[in-house]
Amino acid sequence: MNIIGKVTVLPQLPPEIARLSELAYNLYWSWTPHAQSLYQELDSEIWERFQHNPVRTLLEVSQERLNSAAADPTYLARYRQVMADFDAYMGQKDTWASKNASGMQPVAYFSMEYAYHESLPIYSGGLGVLAGDHCKSASDLGLPFTAVGLLFHQGYFRQLFDKDGWQNEAYDELDLTTLPITVALNGAGEEVRLKVWIGDHDVQVRVWKLQVGRIQVLLLDTNLPENTEDDRKLTARLYGGNQELRVQQYVLLGVAGIRALRALNVPASVYHMNEGHAALMSLERMREYVAQGLDFKTALETAASSTLFTTHTPVAAGNDAFTFELMDRYIGRWPGVLNTTRDDLYALARHDQNWDGQVVPAFSMTVFALRMSRAANGVSELHGEVSRKMWNFLYEGANPEEVPIGHVTNGAHNLTFTSQPMRDLLSTVLPQGWTQRLEDEEMWKAVENLTETQLSDVQREMKRQMIAFVRARMKEQLLRNGSSAADLAHTDTLLDENALTIGFARRFATYKRATLLFRDKARLSKIVNNPERPVQFVFAGKAHPADNPGKAFIQEIFRVSQEPEFRGKIVILENYDMNVARHLVQGVDIWLNNPRRPLEASGTSGMKASFNGSPNFSVLDGWWREGYDGDNGWSIGEEREYADLNVQDDADAYSLYTTLETQIVPRYYGGAAGEASWAHTVRDSIETVSPRFSMQRQVIDYVQQYYLPIAQRAARVSQDHSREARQIAEWKTWVRQQWPYTQISAQANMPTTAHPGQTVTVTANVNPAGINPEELNVEAVLMRGEHQTRVPLRHQQGNVYSAEVPLADSGLYSLGVRMIPEIDGLSHPLETGLIKWA
């Protein structure tokens, strides 16, 4: 058939259950199992077949079944309770924000991917889950918050294993008419259309709206008849193209994303770039200011003053850099639009790369994001440290700890990943309204009142559900690959509900070392096949379509799972998504994570398992370095880095096996009471991880550390037609012009040895090259190991500065003197990136 159009015919819902359609278009249901059950109960087969999508379920269910549900008193009672809870949530006035951040200005959050639910597959992994959870908690807390992203028609990909365990990718075209999204309309009720210049022509963009609780998400779409075939593919696949496609997608996200906010009159005072993919939003924001009459540098300062950048990975592949020639093809017009030169614009992003043995100037999205923001953060304490070292070169002469990149440790949305049985159990000991106080550590101490029997009953129930899910999934896979009747029958015996079950599920990047467990298969076999204390493992995860080493890891696990001594005790599931993740984090006994430290920026899967009482067993990297307290789980290896990666892998594998054999297995099967019991570890895991690594705590940190102060400073910098921004820009231009001509020399009466409490006289002579001496911060820097002490030198007569520098403690000190240009109003003393040492 030649299809000339599509239309969604909504069901005629009986009046008694008419609001099921309204609820289906608000992703509130995605973290509310009781709401999901209303749709599942209409037809469980349809619910499963269409990835738990309420909109599609309502479209497929027969009118007769709808009428039957509307006449069922039990169903109606549950429906009324769900709708009452939904109305209370949507209408709540006393939110956290209203009580703690009443003056908060609206935030616009940009991310390449979002994971809200498996029925909307516009995510690949942890970055998307983090972004989706951030939106959900922004809703929970009542923030003025709007998210912007792309609507990928084919999502990431559906993962299929062939009979040899090799990953294949399938791309399914989403039927947008069956998703919980609506076309965005303007004030006149007309469909919003945008234009964005990409390459040598305009691309048309449609905007879709997604409601996530109280907040909205704007999703951009180029799959329109008026666009060329290539342009329509810009929103086809997530991370599916070459470098040219990625640049075009970044222009689309950044430039069209800002224009979508404007077209819909969505206010924004703070702009949050979630990873470097969104960095090109700064082009459009500067264009707006230039169009208002500002010069390029003042526009830059004004736009940057309200921008926060979150970096998510220290891995080079996660920090995109493109040749200048490639960028010319897609943003070549922008220097002219911004009244600047190509050199000045590209200098903001320059990061020389060693490609094929040649040093090539490249346009780094991360560098551009850092230059175009006045606040930046990593996603765990360790990742903040790693990021400061990684981008130290942008602040030549600074010590790494001074680099203005902070951290907010990631969290996870508790209610999305905590099973309903566990939520019900927690409600027996936590106070009413506990779901609105998830970050309250004191409240969670009540978990200590849960008995071993209560915990084990809930966890056994969820383990049974997970095992049933695993068996059904494996049977589907075997049927598709034409397996024998004997192999199909074997799926009925996969996994044992009485055995210690360990889960491992994540993106299969090689640094995550998914196969570390198999480094000594003979030793692993003894652990797995212990007749009295068996252990079993469930794996899941996707490798990027172009990542053959990652695919080889998947195939290795698959092949091991087929070996006689591991068959039925090691399982790897295909098509890892949020549905698989929920079953695993809710059903396993232990969560395993063994990345190569320090490359795991944060990780969040172990948090979700701990919400459900499954302790974490992980390398001390990312969030677990902060979360591990010696009682709430187990560590793998030492808190250190290695020069030889093989040595590191051997050491970590040895630690993994030893900890399993001597600590975890004996505790799980030991039947001890008190602090030596398994229940004690489970309770401690829930009690410590649930508040500290809740997404509510994370978003509150963003509000207090970044959103509020950024908005305050941005308002000051931009007032009076960006008067302060202009002053800062002019001052920076003058200082950078004069800086090469400045000079500093210093001397100190350093004794060979000294006693604690003594002081050292430090004197500096400065040639300011015309810079106001009051705008030069001259200071002594005292280093004791990695600890830095800064002591300002006071301006004396002429160009002389001096100070008495105290030697407070014993130890080996190094002393240096430097000067930094600084004026009031900067976001950070090192904002200019200019430092000169004597």
Side-chain angles (χ1 to χ4, degrees), residues 410-445:
N410 280 349
H413 190 251
N414 303 59
L415 300 187
T416 293
F417 296 99
T418 306
S419 73
Q420 188 61 55
M422 181 58 77
R423 285 162 69 166
D424 292 341
L425 177 59
L426 291 171
S427 293
T428 65
V429 294
L430 296 178
Q432 188 174 7
W434 64 271
T435 58
Q436 297 178 46
R437 297 169 50 194
L438 294 168
E439 76 287 356
D440 185 344
E441 295 188 31
E442 189 66 28
M443 178 190 77
W444 283 94
K445 291 180 179 178

Tab-separated table of all heavy atoms in Angstrom, residues 410-445:
chain	number	residue	atom	x	y	z
A	410	ASN	N	26.915	11.615	40.873
A	410	ASN	CA	25.650	11.172	40.285
A	410	ASN	C	24.771	10.463	41.306
A	410	ASN	O	25.252	9.922	42.308
A	410	ASN	CB	25.905	10.220	39.118
A	410	ASN	CG	26.260	10.946	37.841
A	410	ASN	OD1	26.124	12.160	37.744
A	410	ASN	ND2	26.722	10.206	36.843
A	411	GLY	N	23.500	10.434	40.997
A	411	GLY	CA	22.529	9.649	41.754
A	411	GLY	C	21.646	8.901	40.780
A	411	GLY	O	21.846	8.927	39.564
A	412	ALA	N	20.646	8.235	41.307
A	412	ALA	CA	19.662	7.529	40.482
A	412	ALA	C	18.279	7.797	41.054
A	412	ALA	O	18.131	8.067	42.249
A	412	ALA	CB	19.953	6.027	40.442
A	413	HIS	N	17.267	7.718	40.199
A	413	HIS	CA	15.897	8.005	40.615
A	413	HIS	C	15.339	6.780	41.344
A	413	HIS	O	14.973	5.786	40.735
A	413	HIS	CB	15.044	8.354	39.394
A	413	HIS	CG	13.695	8.892	39.739
A	413	HIS	ND1	12.536	8.179	39.547
A	413	HIS	CD2	13.323	10.078	40.285
A	413	HIS	CE1	11.497	8.905	39.935
A	413	HIS	NE2	11.950	10.063	40.390
A	414	ASN	N	15.298	6.882	42.663
A	414	ASN	CA	14.938	5.730	43.497
A	414	ASN	C	13.659	5.049	43.040
A	414	ASN	O	13.590	3.813	42.942
A	414	ASN	CB	14.761	6.159	44.963
A	414	ASN	CG	15.984	6.836	45.537
A	414	ASN	OD1	16.419	7.844	45.014
A	414	ASN	ND2	16.523	6.302	46.626
A	415	LEU	N	12.611	5.833	42.780
A	415	LEU	CA	11.299	5.245	42.523
A	415	LEU	C	11.226	4.564	41.164
A	415	LEU	O	10.406	3.666	40.967
A	415	LEU	CB	10.208	6.308	42.652
A	415	LEU	CG	10.110	6.985	44.023
A	415	LEU	CD1	8.898	7.889	44.081
A	415	LEU	CD2	10.055	5.952	45.153
A	416	THR	N	12.066	4.961	40.224
A	416	THR	CA	12.087	4.277	38.930
A	416	THR	C	12.636	2.865	39.073
A	416	THR	O	12.198	1.940	38.371
A	416	THR	CB	12.933	5.063	37.914
A	416	THR	OG1	12.273	6.299	37.626
A	416	THR	CG2	13.128	4.292	36.614
A	417	PHE	N	13.587	2.669	39.980
A	417	PHE	CA	14.301	1.394	40.015
A	417	PHE	C	14.019	0.536	41.249
A	417	PHE	O	14.429	-0.620	41.296
A	417	PHE	CB	15.803	1.657	39.891
A	417	PHE	CG	16.180	2.259	38.564
A	417	PHE	CD1	16.386	3.623	38.432
A	417	PHE	CD2	16.273	1.462	37.436
A	417	PHE	CE1	16.700	4.184	37.205
A	417	PHE	CE2	16.582	2.009	36.203
A	417	PHE	CZ	16.797	3.376	36.081
A	418	THR	N	13.338	1.080	42.247
A	418	THR	CA	13.010	0.280	43.427
A	418	THR	C	11.723	-0.481	43.176
A	418	THR	O	10.717	0.105	42.774
A	418	THR	CB	12.849	1.180	44.668
A	418	THR	OG1	14.018	1.980	44.815
A	418	THR	CG2	12.654	0.340	45.921
A	419	SER	N	11.742	-1.781	43.393
A	419	SER	CA	10.559	-2.606	43.120
A	419	SER	C	9.392	-2.201	44.010
A	419	SER	O	9.591	-1.680	45.117
A	419	SER	CB	10.887	-4.084	43.338
A	419	SER	OG	11.009	-4.367	44.726
A	420	GLN	N	8.177	-2.476	43.526
A	420	GLN	CA	7.006	-2.139	44.334
A	420	GLN	C	6.979	-2.930	45.643
A	420	GLN	O	6.667	-2.345	46.702
A	420	GLN	CB	5.718	-2.390	43.544
A	420	GLN	CG	4.463	-1.893	44.239
A	420	GLN	CD	4.467	-0.391	44.471
A	420	GLN	OE1	4.643	0.387	43.532
A	420	GLN	NE2	4.278	0.038	45.716
A	421	PRO	N	7.307	-4.218	45.657
A	421	PRO	CA	7.349	-4.927	46.940
A	421	PRO	C	8.339	-4.296	47.931
A	421	PRO	O	8.051	-4.215	49.127
A	421	PRO	CB	7.755	-6.350	46.559
A	421	PRO	CG	7.231	-6.521	45.168
A	421	PRO	CD	7.430	-5.179	44.521
A	422	MET	N	9.502	-3.859	47.450
A	422	MET	CA	10.458	-3.216	48.350
A	422	MET	C	9.920	-1.864	48.815
A	422	MET	O	10.079	-1.492	49.995
A	422	MET	CB	11.815	-3.048	47.657
A	422	MET	CG	12.892	-2.393	48.533
A	422	MET	SD	13.221	-3.297	50.077
A	422	MET	CE	14.235	-4.660	49.447
A	423	ARG	N	9.275	-1.119	47.920
A	423	ARG	CA	8.676	0.158	48.328
A	423	ARG	C	7.605	-0.065	49.396
A	423	ARG	O	7.508	0.698	50.366
A	423	ARG	CB	8.086	0.861	47.100
A	423	ARG	CG	9.155	1.466	46.213
A	423	ARG	CD	8.670	1.785	44.817
A	423	ARG	NE	7.714	2.889	44.765
A	423	ARG	CZ	7.380	3.507	43.634
A	423	ARG	NH1	7.934	3.133	42.479
A	423	ARG	NH2	6.506	4.498	43.636
A	424	ASP	N	6.810	-1.109	49.201
A	424	ASP	CA	5.773	-1.409	50.195
A	424	ASP	C	6.399	-1.754	51.538
A	424	ASP	O	5.907	-1.331	52.598
A	424	ASP	CB	4.896	-2.567	49.710
A	424	ASP	CG	4.044	-2.196	48.500
A	424	ASP	OD1	3.852	-0.983	48.254
A	424	ASP	OD2	3.586	-3.116	47.790
A	425	LEU	N	7.493	-2.533	51.500
A	425	LEU	CA	8.166	-2.918	52.745
A	425	LEU	C	8.767	-1.678	53.421
A	425	LEU	O	8.638	-1.505	54.641
A	425	LEU	CB	9.257	-3.952	52.454
A	425	LEU	CG	10.096	-4.400	53.661
A	425	LEU	CD1	9.215	-5.013	54.743
A	425	LEU	CD2	11.177	-5.386	53.223
A	426	LEU	N	9.412	-0.821	52.647
A	426	LEU	CA	10.000	0.387	53.224
A	426	LEU	C	8.932	1.274	53.865
A	426	LEU	O	9.174	1.924	54.886
A	426	LEU	CB	10.750	1.171	52.145
A	426	LEU	CG	12.026	0.511	51.601
A	426	LEU	CD1	12.557	1.283	50.398
A	426	LEU	CD2	13.104	0.416	52.680
A	427	SER	N	7.757	1.268	53.285
A	427	SER	CA	6.669	2.100	53.830
A	427	SER	C	6.222	1.658	55.212
A	427	SER	O	5.566	2.425	55.928
A	427	SER	CB	5.472	2.089	52.865
A	427	SER	OG	5.805	2.741	51.651
A	428	THR	N	6.598	0.439	55.602
A	428	THR	CA	6.207	-0.032	56.943
A	428	THR	C	7.100	0.552	58.032
A	428	THR	O	6.718	0.521	59.216
A	428	THR	CB	6.256	-1.571	57.025
A	428	THR	OG1	7.614	-2.013	56.875
A	428	THR	CG2	5.384	-2.219	55.955
A	429	VAL	N	8.277	1.062	57.666
A	429	VAL	CA	9.181	1.613	58.686
A	429	VAL	C	9.535	3.080	58.447
A	429	VAL	O	9.942	3.773	59.385
A	429	VAL	CB	10.485	0.787	58.793
A	429	VAL	CG1	10.188	-0.616	59.311
A	429	VAL	CG2	11.223	0.728	57.457
A	430	LEU	N	9.399	3.551	57.218
A	430	LEU	CA	9.707	4.947	56.927
A	430	LEU	C	8.457	5.803	57.141
A	430	LEU	O	7.341	5.317	57.008
A	430	LEU	CB	10.217	5.101	55.490
A	430	LEU	CG	11.538	4.394	55.161
A	430	LEU	CD1	11.903	4.599	53.700
A	430	LEU	CD2	12.669	4.870	56.058
A	431	PRO	N	8.631	7.085	57.433
A	431	PRO	CA	7.468	7.936	57.721
A	431	PRO	C	6.633	8.204	56.475
A	431	PRO	O	7.114	8.051	55.343
A	431	PRO	CB	8.101	9.223	58.240
A	431	PRO	CG	9.470	9.242	57.652
A	431	PRO	CD	9.906	7.812	57.577
A	432	GLN	N	5.387	8.608	56.704
A	432	GLN	CA	4.515	8.976	55.598
A	432	GLN	C	5.165	10.115	54.816
A	432	GLN	O	5.769	11.019	55.380
A	432	GLN	CB	3.155	9.412	56.138
A	432	GLN	CG	2.113	9.638	55.046
A	432	GLN	CD	0.740	9.921	55.630
A	432	GLN	OE1	0.595	10.081	56.845
A	432	GLN	NE2	-0.283	9.959	54.793
A	433	GLY	N	5.051	10.044	53.489
A	433	GLY	CA	5.679	11.053	52.643
A	433	GLY	C	7.166	10.851	52.446
A	433	GLY	O	7.865	11.771	52.011
A	434	TRP	N	7.648	9.636	52.732
A	434	TRP	CA	9.087	9.392	52.647
A	434	TRP	C	9.640	9.566	51.241
A	434	TRP	O	10.808	9.913	51.056
A	434	TRP	CB	9.448	8.017	53.195
A	434	TRP	CG	8.881	6.839	52.431
A	434	TRP	CD1	7.678	6.236	52.633
A	434	TRP	CD2	9.516	6.100	51.378
A	434	TRP	NE1	7.500	5.176	51.767
A	434	TRP	CE2	8.626	5.071	50.992
A	434	TRP	CE3	10.735	6.208	50.719
A	434	TRP	CZ2	8.915	4.155	49.975
A	434	TRP	CZ3	11.041	5.304	49.712
A	434	TRP	CH2	10.134	4.292	49.354
A	435	THR	N	8.794	9.373	50.235
A	435	THR	CA	9.299	9.483	48.862
A	435	THR	C	9.649	10.923	48.497
A	435	THR	O	10.289	11.162	47.471
A	435	THR	CB	8.270	8.940	47.852
A	435	THR	OG1	7.043	9.668	47.992
A	435	THR	CG2	8.004	7.465	48.101
A	436	GLN	N	9.222	11.891	49.319
A	436	GLN	CA	9.582	13.286	49.077
A	436	GLN	C	10.807	13.703	49.889
A	436	GLN	O	11.231	14.858	49.810
A	436	GLN	CB	8.395	14.194	49.415
A	436	GLN	CG	7.174	13.930	48.540
A	436	GLN	CD	6.002	14.803	48.931
A	436	GLN	OE1	6.160	16.005	49.138
A	436	GLN	NE2	4.827	14.216	49.036
A	437	ARG	N	11.352	12.777	50.659
A	437	ARG	CA	12.516	13.086	51.513
A	437	ARG	C	13.635	12.071	51.266
A	437	ARG	O	14.358	11.695	52.179
A	437	ARG	CB	12.099	13.047	52.985
A	437	ARG	CG	11.055	14.075	53.375
A	437	ARG	CD	10.503	13.787	54.759
A	437	ARG	NE	11.547	13.571	55.764
A	437	ARG	CZ	11.332	13.044	56.977
A	437	ARG	NH1	10.101	12.668	57.327
A	437	ARG	NH2	12.323	12.894	57.828
A	438	LEU	N	13.781	11.654	50.043
A	438	LEU	CA	14.703	10.561	49.742
A	438	LEU	C	16.141	10.877	50.114
A	438	LEU	O	16.938	9.979	50.382
A	438	LEU	CB	14.611	10.199	48.253
A	438	LEU	CG	13.267	9.610	47.818
A	438	LEU	CD1	13.168	9.573	46.301
A	438	LEU	CD2	13.093	8.206	48.396
A	439	GLU	N	16.506	12.157	50.141
A	439	GLU	CA	17.892	12.545	50.439
A	439	GLU	C	18.161	12.624	51.933
A	439	GLU	O	19.303	12.867	52.336
A	439	GLU	CB	18.198	13.900	49.789
A	439	GLU	CG	17.616	15.120	50.485
A	439	GLU	CD	16.114	15.307	50.330
A	439	GLU	OE1	15.481	14.524	49.595
A	439	GLU	OE2	15.570	16.251	50.937
A	440	ASP	N	17.152	12.389	52.763
A	440	ASP	CA	17.243	12.554	54.217
A	440	ASP	C	17.910	11.324	54.848
A	440	ASP	O	17.272	10.291	55.072
A	440	ASP	CB	15.837	12.756	54.788
A	440	ASP	CG	15.842	13.063	56.278
A	440	ASP	OD1	16.873	12.833	56.947
A	440	ASP	OD2	14.797	13.509	56.788
A	441	GLU	N	19.205	11.417	55.155
A	441	GLU	CA	19.949	10.266	55.676
A	441	GLU	C	19.419	9.818	57.034
A	441	GLU	O	19.388	8.617	57.333
A	441	GLU	CB	21.446	10.601	55.758
A	441	GLU	CG	22.083	10.831	54.395
A	441	GLU	CD	23.597	10.964	54.467
A	441	GLU	OE1	24.208	10.335	55.356
A	441	GLU	OE2	24.172	11.688	53.635
A	442	GLU	N	19.020	10.761	57.859
A	442	GLU	CA	18.515	10.413	59.179
A	442	GLU	C	17.254	9.557	59.073
A	442	GLU	O	17.080	8.589	59.825
A	442	GLU	CB	18.218	11.699	59.976
A	442	GLU	CG	17.890	11.475	61.441
A	442	GLU	CD	19.059	10.918	62.244
A	442	GLU	OE1	20.222	11.173	61.874
A	442	GLU	OE2	18.798	10.210	63.245
A	443	MET	N	16.386	9.900	58.130
A	443	MET	CA	15.146	9.145	57.946
A	443	MET	C	15.411	7.678	57.619
A	443	MET	O	14.724	6.782	58.099
A	443	MET	CB	14.329	9.782	56.809
A	443	MET	CG	13.029	9.051	56.483
A	443	MET	SD	12.269	9.669	54.959
A	443	MET	CE	13.306	8.866	53.703
A	444	TRP	N	16.437	7.433	56.816
A	444	TRP	CA	16.708	6.079	56.343
A	444	TRP	C	17.235	5.153	57.437
A	444	TRP	O	17.302	3.934	57.241
A	444	TRP	CB	17.686	6.121	55.169
A	444	TRP	CG	17.012	6.538	53.892
A	444	TRP	CD1	16.938	7.792	53.379
A	444	TRP	CD2	16.306	5.697	52.976
A	444	TRP	NE1	16.230	7.796	52.202
A	444	TRP	CE2	15.834	6.520	51.929
A	444	TRP	CE3	16.035	4.329	52.935
A	444	TRP	CZ2	15.103	6.008	50.860
A	444	TRP	CZ3	15.304	3.815	51.865
A	444	TRP	CH2	14.842	4.646	50.841
A	445	LYS	N	17.601	5.694	58.583
A	445	LYS	CA	18.063	4.826	59.675
A	445	LYS	C	16.974	3.879	60.150
A	445	LYS	O	17.254	2.845	60.767
A	445	LYS	CB	18.575	5.671	60.843
A	445	LYS	CG	19.876	6.409	60.518
A	445	LYS	CD	20.368	7.235	61.707
A	445	LYS	CE	21.681	7.949	61.363
A	445	LYS	NZ	22.155	8.791	62.486
